[in-house]
Every structure is written in C-alpha cells, then in structure tokens.
Amino acid sequence: MLRKIALILILIVVLLLGGFLVFRYVFSPERMNQIGRTVSTTFGFDYGVVEYYSMGRLVARFFNVEKLTTATGTYENQTRPYRFGYGYRDINLDGFLDPDEATLGKAYFEIPVYADYLYYDAKRDPRKP
C-alpha cells in the first residue's frame, strides 16, 4: 500500500514538473511573440504602415506591411545595410489605400539603415476611410 502511494506521489511530481516545463516553453514571452506573428500572418492582420522621410518630408508610404526584415548576406552571414519589406504603395500620400493603388499589388521596397522612417501598426484597414 505504501509503495503504491509513493509511486503515485512520484508520478504526480513528474507530471507537475513536466507540465511546468511544457508550460514554460509554450508560454514563454518569445514563444507567445512567435505565435502572435504566426496568427497575424495567417489571418492577414497586416495593417503595418511604413512611412519613409527625406529631409523631413514624407516621400513614400506603404500599407499592409507584415514586417520589416533586415537583409543578410547569403554566403557571408552578415547583415546588409538596409531593411526590406512588401506593401501597397500609397502613391498620392492621402493616407488611404485607393482601389487603383490596390490593383497594382504589393511592392517590394528597401530602406537604407540610416534613413528616416516610421513603422507602426495602424490598427485599421487602410482601404476604409
């Protein structure tokens, strides 16, 4: 009888410790970040906006940017001096994605490291005023 209780207690401790480690891995801040990015990418919550400035003036704006990525060399394994992404270009800079701008599709863009730019989550669909 005492042996069965000891085995049950050991099993409970092992399950609790295992559950804690699994919980710690699955719900770590970095893992939650990865899960959030995956959900955003999968379901299309890509309302990020990139605004590119030159000499204090807005010169380009891109909508529905999922993320900006720092370029890395294929063979050198070093970062390149620019960031890139994909997004709809706001040609007339009015702050809304017009139907004719949307029909052009997403454009690839690059931003030099030392350029003035903003990346922010608009929290709204740019197609709706």
Side-chain angles (χ1 to χ4, degrees):
M1 180 72 173
L2 195 57
R3 197 170 205 187
K4 285 184 180 179
I5 292 174
L7 284 174
I8 290 173
L9 286 175
I10 290 172
L11 183 63
I12 289 173
V13 168
V14 167
L15 287 175
L16 285 174
L17 184 61
F20 173 75
L21 292 175
V22 167
F23 182 81
R24 177 109 172 144
Y25 171 73
V26 171
F27 294 105
S28 69
E30 179 58 30
R31 187 68 181 143
M32 293 304 292
N33 229 356
Q34 290 173 348
I35 291 170
R37 286 194 304 266
T38 302
V39 168
S40 294
T41 302
T42 304
F43 293 108
F45 302 139
D46 53 351
Y47 295 148
V49 177
V50 171
E51 293 181 345
Y52 180 65
Y53 293 87
S54 178
M55 298 179 67
R57 295 190 59 175
L58 178 66
V59 292
R61 180 184 290 128
F62 296 92
F63 292 120
N64 292 36
V65 177
E66 236 175 78
K67 62 182 175 178
L68 284 177
T69 305
T70 302
T72 56
T74 306
Y75 301 108
E76 306 92 37
N77 201 16
Q78 294 178 341
T79 58
R80 301 257 172 101
Y82 64 92
R83 299 183 62 132
F84 69 92
Y86 294 89
Y88 293 103
R89 181 150 188 212
D90 184 14
I91 297 170
N92 56 6
L93 301 175
D94 64 350
F96 298 104
L97 185 61
D98 301 326
D100 57 333
E101 294 169 342
T103 57
L104 295 174
K106 285 193 171 185
Y108 170 82
F109 62 89
E110 294 179 358
I111 300 173
V113 171
Y114 300 109
D116 293 332
Y117 71 93
L118 290 174
Y119 175 79
Y120 59 92
D121 189 2
K123 301 286 186 200
R124 68 167 180 84
D125 190 345
R127 292 170 285 206
K128 299 174 183 168

